[in-house]
């Protein structure tokens, strides 16, 4: 008997499970349809009751399968939205069942049932239109637009459905509104399917697209060809088919592989940016359809679409600008100390050098080094060293009280301070203040003095001519070197060489 590896065995089990899931997804709907048809044939005058029970059970089964899929794996947000949609549709059909059993009335669809049938599309449209990871306020605006869309559908659909003398024109408009909603769901499900790079999302939107296409065809078949036929007839079997297909897709696809064809990046970005247009576009289209029959609601729908999308864009732009500012700040600020980083220091020093050249004022640069910092790191560890750097940085920044003074982390344990429009004596006074402030912090250190100290070198130029800023840096570096050579914890100054 040939040896079968563990990997081959796992693949065989996975293949068997996939085949079993597919058979289950096909057989259960088939049994459901056969049972529905057989009971319709055998029920006689109670066939309407059989149909309503089966048409309530079909979306409930589909919703249960969607919840199972959401719990098992895949795109949880999408499958839960579909489950909610199925529950709403089943609720609408259950309302019909209640009316037939308790009220014994077929005078029209009740307001509650019609509302549930209309709201069925809201969670589906939301999951299609709202990109993932949006802020809760953006989701709230989108939810408001979706509910507004559902409200327009409900108000006018219910008005037409309960009119005893509804004209053919109004009935046609009603059917068109349902077709528009179903067609939008199909189109955007296909777009999201082709734009999804994530395998779980791609499988979800593929399943939703198949379901939506079948639902669109079934709804058009019933609404346009059999709208005057009461429940209990053979066309009822077709009504349950989309829900059975969705339940089968949810079961058959559970645990499927993660392979997916990646859409182009530009197409993904276009869909992500354009997706939020879906809700206001639908509101505008539905409002346009209703202009002649209900101008007040049409105007309200247009206003909701424009204002809702406008507020959404304003909030998204604000968040985008805040994110941009934060990102820009991160590129200019040292993460450990909160001071300006080397990039910001270089740009600021060049800017102040040019300003000093124009104004004729002096410019000073302090180069500050933490004494015996390598010994501190080796003895206490890098986390303690980082805390010492942060504390020193805050002390230095607190001493630079002028808005024009710029304190930066130059690199490692070294800091730099740019002092525009100062004299050598003013620069020396501030440097000594900084040195003394750090020493008074009394931060424990293995250095000879037992606490953290700094050495400071001052470079100063009285008048900037045509020289290079490197001369100022060189003077400050030379002064710092001298301060360290002379025993550390002191301040030295050197004038910058000028041409």
């Amino acid at each position: 008997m040939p040896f079968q590896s563990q990997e081959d065995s796992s693949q065989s089990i996975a293949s068997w499970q996939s085949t079993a899931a597919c058979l289950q997804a096909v057989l259960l709907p088939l049994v459901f349809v056969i049972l529905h048809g057989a009971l319709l044939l055998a029920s006689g005058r109670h066939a309407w009751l059989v149909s309503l029970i089966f048409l309530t059970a079909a979306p409930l089964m589909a919703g249960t399968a969607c919840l199972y899929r959401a719990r098992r794996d895949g795109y949880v947000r999408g499958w839960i939205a579909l489950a909610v949609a199925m529950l709403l549709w089943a609720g609408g059909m259950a309302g019909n069942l209640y009316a037939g059993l308790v009220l014994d009335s077929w005078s029209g669809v009740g307001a509650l049932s019609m509302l549930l049938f209309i709201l069925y599309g809201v969670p589906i449209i939301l999951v299609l239109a709202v990109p993932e990871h949006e802020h809760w306020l953006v989701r709230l605006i989108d939810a408001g637009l979706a509910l507004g869309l559902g409200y327009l559908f409900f108000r006018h659909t219910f008005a037409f459905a309960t009119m005893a003398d509804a004209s053919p024109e109004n009935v046609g408009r009603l059917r068109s509104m349902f077709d528009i909603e179903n067609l939008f769901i199909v189109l955007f499900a296909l777009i999201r399917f082709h734009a999804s790079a994530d395998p779980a999302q791609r499988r979800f939107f593929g399943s939703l697209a198949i379901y939506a296409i079948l639902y669109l065809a079934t709804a058009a078949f019933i609404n346009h060809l059999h709208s005057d036929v009461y429940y209990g007839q053979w066309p009822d079997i077709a009504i349950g088919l989309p829900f059975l297909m969705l339940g089968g897709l949810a079961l058959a696809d559970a645990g499927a592989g993660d392979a997916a064809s990646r859409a182009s990046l530009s197409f993904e970005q276009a869909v992500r940016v354009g997706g939020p247009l879906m809700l206001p576009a639908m509101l505008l289209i539905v409002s346009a359809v209703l202009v002649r029959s209900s101008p007040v609601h049409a105007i309200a729908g247009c206003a909701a679409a424009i204002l809702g999308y406008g507020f959404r864009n304003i909030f998204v732009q604000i968040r985008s600008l805040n994110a941009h500012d934060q990102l820009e700040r991160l590129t200019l600020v040292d993460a450990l100390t909160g001071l300006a980083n080397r990039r910001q220091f270089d740009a600021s020093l060049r800017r102040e050098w040019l300003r000093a050249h124009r104004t004729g004022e002096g410019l000073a640069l302090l180069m500050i080094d933490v004494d015996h910092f390598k010994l501190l790191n080796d003895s206490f560890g890098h986390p303690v060293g980082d805390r010492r750097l942060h504390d020193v940085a805050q002390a230095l920044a607190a001493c630079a009280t002028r808005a024009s003074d710029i304190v930066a982390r130059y690199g490692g344990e070294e800091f730099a301070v740019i002092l525009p429009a100062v004299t050598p004596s003013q620069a020396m006074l501030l440097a000594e203040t900084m040195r003394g402030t750090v020493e008074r912090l009394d931060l424990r250190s293995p250095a000879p003095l037992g606490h953290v100290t700094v050495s400071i070198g001052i470079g100063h130029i009285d008048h900037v001519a045509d020289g290079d800023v490197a001369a100022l840096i060189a003077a400050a570096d030379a002064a710092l070197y001298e301060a360290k050579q002379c025993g550390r914890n002191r301040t030295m100054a050197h004038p910058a060489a000028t041409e």
Side-chain angles (χ1 to χ4, degrees):
M1 181 178 179
F3 174 75
Q4 186 179 31
S5 68
Q6 184 177 359
E7 181 179 354
D8 292 338
S9 177
S10 299
Q11 291 177 350
S12 298
I13 293 173
S15 176
W16 179 86
Q17 290 176 337
S18 178
T19 303
C22 290
L23 288 175
Q24 183 184 27
V26 173
L27 289 176
L28 287 179
L30 183 60
V31 170
F32 188 92
V33 169
I34 293 174
L35 187 59
H36 187 181
L39 290 177
L40 272 181
L41 187 63
S43 298
R45 66 187 184 90
H46 295 294
W48 64 269
L49 179 59
V50 170
S51 276
L52 287 175
I53 292 174
F54 272 83
L55 294 180
T56 303
L60 286 177
M61 291 172 56
T64 302
C66 291
L67 288 176
Y68 167 78
R69 180 58 186 277
R71 184 182 63 84
R72 174 75 178 270
D73 65 346
Y75 185 44
V76 175
R77 170 174 170 255
W79 289 109
I80 290 179
L82 268 183
V84 172
M86 296 300 104
L87 181 62
L88 290 169
W89 208 97
M93 191 56 66
N96 288 342
L97 179 59
Y98 176 80
L101 286 174
V102 178
L103 303 179
D104 193 22
S105 171
W106 289 98
S107 60
V109 180
L112 179 59
S113 292
M114 182 58 69
L115 175 62
L116 293 175
F117 283 132
I118 296 299
L119 292 181
Y120 143 84
V122 171
I124 299 178
I125 292 172
L126 274 177
V127 81
L128 287 170
V130 182
E132 290 69 40
H133 312 302
E134 284 285 12
H135 190 268
W136 68 268
L137 186 54
V138 174
R139 290 180 181 273
L140 185 62
I141 294 173
D142 288 331
L145 290 175
L147 289 174
L149 180 64
Y151 175 76
L152 285 184
F153 270 108
F154 167 69
R155 290 289 299 178
H156 295 281
T157 301
F158 182 66
F160 294 152
T162 56
M163 287 171 58
D165 58 345
S167 66
E169 182 183 359
N170 283 341
V171 173
R173 188 178 293 113
L174 174 61
R175 292 167 179 166
S176 298
M177 290 173 65
F178 280 117
D179 292 339
I180 289 171
E181 180 184 28
N182 295 332
L183 183 59
F184 262 101
I185 291 175
V186 169
L187 292 177
F188 277 88
L190 289 172
I191 291 172
R192 290 297 301 270
F193 168 71
H194 287 292
S196 296
D198 179 75
Q201 290 186 24
R202 187 175 176 83
R203 289 196 301 270
F204 167 77
F205 287 116
S207 300
L208 177 55
I210 295 172
Y211 161 75
I213 291 171
L214 185 56
Y215 186 90
L216 171 67
T218 302
F221 170 72
I222 297 297
N223 292 337
H224 292 278
L225 300 179
H226 295 278
S227 60
D228 296 330
V229 178
Y230 288 130
Y231 293 107
Q233 305 297 320
W234 289 106
D236 294 351
I237 296 177
I239 298 176
L241 290 178
F243 307 111
L244 299 174
M245 173 63 75
L246 177 60
L249 290 170
L251 293 176
D253 204 24
D258 284 342
S261 173
R262 183 176 179 84
S264 67
L265 182 60
S266 58
F267 185 59
E268 287 181 49
Q269 292 173 336
V271 171
R272 183 174 182 180
V273 173
L277 278 170
M278 177 181 177
L279 285 171
M282 288 187 69
L283 266 175
L284 290 173
I285 291 174
V286 172
S287 299
V289 171
L290 301 172
V291 166
R292 296 169 65 182
S293 62
S294 183
V296 173
H297 287 104
I299 293 172
C302 290
I306 296 171
L307 293 177
Y309 188 69
F311 285 133
R312 187 189 197 282
N313 267 358
I314 289 173
F315 185 75
V316 169
Q317 287 296 324
I318 290 174
R319 281 176 53 82
S320 178
L321 290 174
N322 288 339
H324 179 270
D325 292 343
Q326 185 177 8
L327 182 62
E328 186 175 5
R329 182 179 181 276
L330 289 175
T331 65
L332 298 176
V333 174
D334 177 65
L336 175 62
T337 63
L339 301 179
N341 61 12
R342 178 64 181 271
R343 177 184 175 186
Q344 185 177 357
F345 166 80
D346 290 339
S348 299
L349 184 58
R350 286 192 297 270
R351 182 180 65 249
E352 294 302 333
W353 179 269
L354 294 175
R355 181 180 298 169
H357 181 269
R358 292 194 306 270
T359 62
E361 296 174 327
L363 180 64
L365 175 65
L366 311 185
M367 299 298 288
I368 306 169
D369 189 78
V370 179
D371 297 328
H372 302 290
F373 186 73
K374 184 178 184 305
L375 178 61
L376 189 154
N377 260 346
D378 292 342
S379 301
F380 292 166
H382 288 281
V384 175
D386 288 345
R387 289 198 295 272
R388 297 292 187 266
L389 285 177
H390 178 270
D391 292 340
V392 169
Q394 298 307 305
L396 297 177
C399 295
T401 56
R402 299 189 310 168
S404 59
D405 297 340
I406 300 169
V407 183
R409 186 181 181 189
Y410 193 72
E413 72 275 18
E414 198 166 358
F415 300 91
V417 183
I418 303 171
L419 302 175
V422 294
T423 64
S425 59
Q426 290 172 330
M428 176 62 74
L429 178 61
L430 178 60
E432 273 298 300
T433 300
M434 289 181 168
R435 186 196 63 77
T437 299
V438 172
E439 187 172 20
R440 285 190 296 273
L441 290 177
D442 198 23
L443 301 173
R444 184 167 167 262
S445 169
L449 295 179
H451 56 262
V452 172
T453 59
V454 294
S455 299
I456 303 178
I458 305 172
H460 184 272
I461 188 168
D462 290 322
H463 177 71
V464 175
D466 295 329
D468 194 290
V469 69
L472 184 62
I473 298 175
D477 274 335
L480 175 62
Y481 178 79
E482 184 177 347
K484 295 173 76 69
Q485 289 297 109
C486 292
R488 295 184 173 85
N489 190 28
R490 63 190 66 237
T491 300
M492 304 295 290
H494 270 210
T498 57
E499 294 183 359

